[in-house]
Amino acid sequence: MAGTSRRVVVTGMGALTPLGLSVDEYWDGLVAGTSGAATIESFDPEGLRVTFACELDGFDPEDHLPAKQARRVDPFSQYALVTADQAVKDAGLDPEAMAQDEKDRIGVVYGTGIGGIKTFRDQAEEFIEGGEKRTSPFFIPTLIPDIAAGQIAMAHGFRGPNHAMVSACATGNHNIGDACRMIQEGDMDAALCGGTDACVTRLGIAGFASMRALSTRNDDPARASRPFEAHRDGFVMGEGAGALFIETLERARARGAHIYAEIEGIGMSADAHHLTAPDPEGGGVCLALNRALDNAGLAPTDVDYINAHGTSTPLGDEAETQALKKVFDDHAYDLNVSSTKSMTGHLLGAAGAIEAIATIQALRHDVVPPTINFEEADPACDLDYTFNEAEERPVNVALSNAFGFGGHNTSLALRAYDE
Amino acid sequence: MASDIEETVKSIVVDKLGVDEADVASDASFTNDLGADSLDTVELIMEFEKEFDLTIPDEEAEEIATVGDAVGYLEEKA
């Protein structure tokens, strides 16, 4: 077999985020400490417990996709298709000009935490009103979580392995990690991978609000997402997508691609504890972090920066802090931690993907993006969370954490690429 | 009356298939000329049923291949 030693690098990135509709705008927003949260504009949130979110301002699918395709897919697939296009172009590839043999070695591993919730809600209403006679033939193939990966393959002719890992808010990391493993194992030479979600809908907000998972700071949206801060009261829903084009180091070198970073490994585990609450001891998270270090061949002291899951929930941020202290011991206080969800909100299945991009940008630019909205310290959260201001510092090795409802834990290990 | 039905059919076809109105000729085939796949065809029939408040049995729907077929069928039944 091709062996598990194939090195995998990132050569293309694409992002649609509440801070901007490109990787550059997104990164500029992060470094500037900008909040993407505001009162919901895409529908009237009147009557909901939570009336704000981090939406994709100015996104019109028909600016990016053919009109029929834009109307035929759920927003989660629109976001996936657009970020895939961005990442392919950013990697310097023109699929229309590529030989099919080459495209047959490129896979798509692109997931969503929720899938087509807008489609589900609209079609359920049609069904309740009109029965089977009014049930669209496009209902199922628009709703299913794997369809974004299928749509991307159709758009570019990529015929390598194709699927969608689903693990709630750990989806982005699982898809990147799985794609990386399949490249290492020789199933394919390159992949378009990432995550997407479009859950800022009345039903989506109602569902998460009903769990009491969301911040209710309706009168001050921009300051609602405050991970690791004393007065945090839940996460802020975001929407969007992130895509990476990844390939073997050999392939990237052979085609003279610009290399952004190297994927060193991924650690995965379960809490085996509760539907939605984290293990307060952080046991499952410790397993994922240690497995990420082992998989990447890293010592804890090698790590300079951790892009935390840090959703701004009272329990989650404390449990993650506990886990970091157990795994990194004294070094936990030396490295920089930050939660970019303080600015983007929580993009669910896209969170791991856009946070991998934030982490790669930190490695490239030696800048740690901040955790904004710090006012008062929580004694249980006593690490260096890079509060309020971005920090310049050497960043050579970084982890990006993503955990999901169901107790799924992931940590992705990334390294700055050095010729 | 006939032209009303034709106009409505054409507007449904333009909307659902994302094609130019100029291409929606009477003899245009949904699948061969207007790019419809099997799912598009099912959806078109559903839209005709909804718009004209009737039920088109599957065996009759299978005979509706062109814009003209649809207009003729609906003029007779609607």
Side-chain angles (χ1 to χ4, degrees):
Chain A
M1 70 189 244
T4 55
S5 62
R6 302 217 298 178
R7 292 168 67 185
V8 178
V9 293
V10 179
T11 55
M13 301 189 285
L16 290 177
T17 77
L19 302 184
L21 306 181
S22 67
V23 170
D24 287 344
E25 288 172 89
Y26 167 45
W27 178 242
D28 289 347
L30 290 177
V31 173
T34 313
S35 169
T39 299
I40 291 169
E41 289 186 359
S42 60
F43 60 88
D44 179 2
E46 177 69 28
L48 292 173
R49 178 189 302 273
V50 174
T51 58
F52 65 102
C54 292
E55 297 182 281
L56 290 188
D57 290 339
F59 178 74
D60 179 349
E62 296 197 16
D63 290 347
H64 307 271
L65 303 169
K68 186 180 173 189
Q69 186 182 41
R71 281 188 294 134
R72 272 281 187 257
V73 299
D74 189 89
F76 88 90
S77 291
Q78 294 171 354
Y79 303 165
L81 282 162
V82 174
T83 57
D85 283 352
Q86 291 176 347
V88 165
K89 283 197 187 80
D90 188 46
L93 297 172
D94 177 6
E96 287 190 16
M98 287 163 75
Q100 188 61 48
D101 281 358
E102 184 182 358
K103 291 191 280 190
D104 288 351
R105 299 286 302 162
I106 301 175
V108 181
V109 186
Y110 202 119
T112 173
I114 306 287
I117 193 168
K118 176 180 186 298
T119 297
F120 186 84
R121 185 237 170 272
D122 292 350
Q123 288 298 313
E125 185 171 3
E126 291 281 344
F127 177 75
I128 290 162
E129 286 179 3
E132 185 179 326
K133 196 175 151 154
R134 290 300 309 148
T135 302
S136 168
F138 292 98
F139 169 41
I140 298 299
T142 307
L143 161 83
I144 50 180
D146 55 290
I147 203 66
Q151 292 276 3
I152 292 168
M154 282 180 260
H156 298 296
F158 295 152
R159 299 201 303 183
N162 188 293
H163 74 176
M165 300 281 287
V166 174
S167 54
C169 307
T171 294
N173 266 4
H174 270 126
N175 283 276
I176 295 167
D178 205 40
C180 185
R181 293 273 170 94
M182 282 194 277
I183 291 173
Q184 288 172 333
E185 292 293 327
D187 296 309
M188 56 188 175
D189 298 327
L192 201 295
C193 55
T196 176
D197 255 313
C199 201
V200 182
T201 65
R202 275 190 84 84
L203 179 59
I205 296 286
F208 280 94
S210 175
M211 294 166 58
R212 306 298 189 268
L214 299 181
S215 168
T216 55
R217 209 177 287 261
N218 291 321
D219 55 354
D220 196 5
R223 297 206 295 169
S225 184
R226 44 178 70 208
F228 306 108
E229 197 266 354
H231 304 290
R232 63 188 185 274
D233 72 329
F235 77 80
V236 177
M237 183 84 86
E239 62 179 349
L244 299 180
F245 191 85
I246 68 176
E247 57 192 307
T248 62
L249 176 60
E250 188 183 6
R251 181 187 140 88
R253 276 185 176 152
R255 68 183 190 89
H258 179 78
I259 296 171
Y260 290 127
E262 181 165 0
I263 301 179
E264 295 271 277
I266 186 169
M268 301 175 275
S269 73
D271 271 2
H273 174 71
H274 182 266
L275 279 183
T276 56
D279 172 357
E281 306 292 317
V285 173
C286 288
L287 286 174
L289 289 166
N290 279 318
R291 288 169 183 169
L293 294 172
D294 286 348
N295 187 230
L298 295 168
T301 49
D302 291 334
V303 177
D304 303 308
Y305 167 53
I306 296 175
N307 187 300
H309 184 60
T311 58
S312 187
T313 61
L315 292 176
D317 294 359
E318 185 177 338
E320 187 172 11
T321 298
Q322 290 293 326
L324 293 178
K325 288 199 242 185
K326 284 177 186 164
V327 171
F328 290 93
D329 202 17
D330 287 348
H331 186 62
Y333 294 88
D334 296 331
L335 52 78
N336 277 69
V337 179
S338 72
S339 171
T340 42
K341 289 186 184 76
S342 58
M343 297 171 276
T344 62
H346 189 356
L347 271 63
L348 311 180
I354 68 161
E355 287 160 25
I357 292 170
T359 306
I360 290 165
Q361 294 291 72
L363 293 165
R364 291 176 68 203
H365 299 291
D366 286 324
V367 172
V368 172
T371 306
I372 66 166
N373 292 324
F374 175 76
E375 289 180 334
E376 188 180 334
D378 173 357
C381 297
D382 59 347
L383 302 177
D384 179 355
Y385 302 98
T386 324
F387 279 131
N388 291 348
E389 298 276 340
E391 187 176 322
E392 289 186 33
R393 61 155 292 166
V395 187
N396 193 43
V397 173
L399 301 182
S400 180
N401 293 343
F403 317 139
F405 286 158
H408 321 293
N409 305 305
T410 60
S411 185
L412 192 66
L414 297 153
R415 180 189 286 274
Y417 179 68
D418 185 0
E419 299 279 347
Chain B
M1 189 61 201
S3 74
D4 283 354
I5 288 180
E6 186 171 349
E7 285 310 307
T8 305
V9 166
K10 283 186 175 177
S11 108
I12 289 171
V13 171
V14 166
D15 179 51
K16 293 297 168 190
L17 300 184
V19 291
D20 284 339
E21 195 172 348
D23 295 330
V24 188
S26 186
D27 62 349
S29 155
F30 296 126
T31 51
N32 297 331
D33 300 318
L34 300 175
D37 62 21
S38 58
L39 300 180
D40 290 317
T41 311
V42 174
E43 190 182 47
L44 276 178
I45 296 295
M46 278 178 55
E47 284 301 309
F48 297 149
E49 290 180 327
K50 182 182 181 190
E51 185 65 34
F52 295 98
D53 193 24
L54 48 72
T55 297
I56 304 176
D58 280 356
E59 57 275 18
E60 291 177 26
E62 284 165 17
E63 303 298 316
I64 301 176
T66 66
V67 176
D69 292 343
V71 173
Y73 180 88
L74 293 164
E75 281 175 352
E76 187 184 323
K77 305 273 182 178

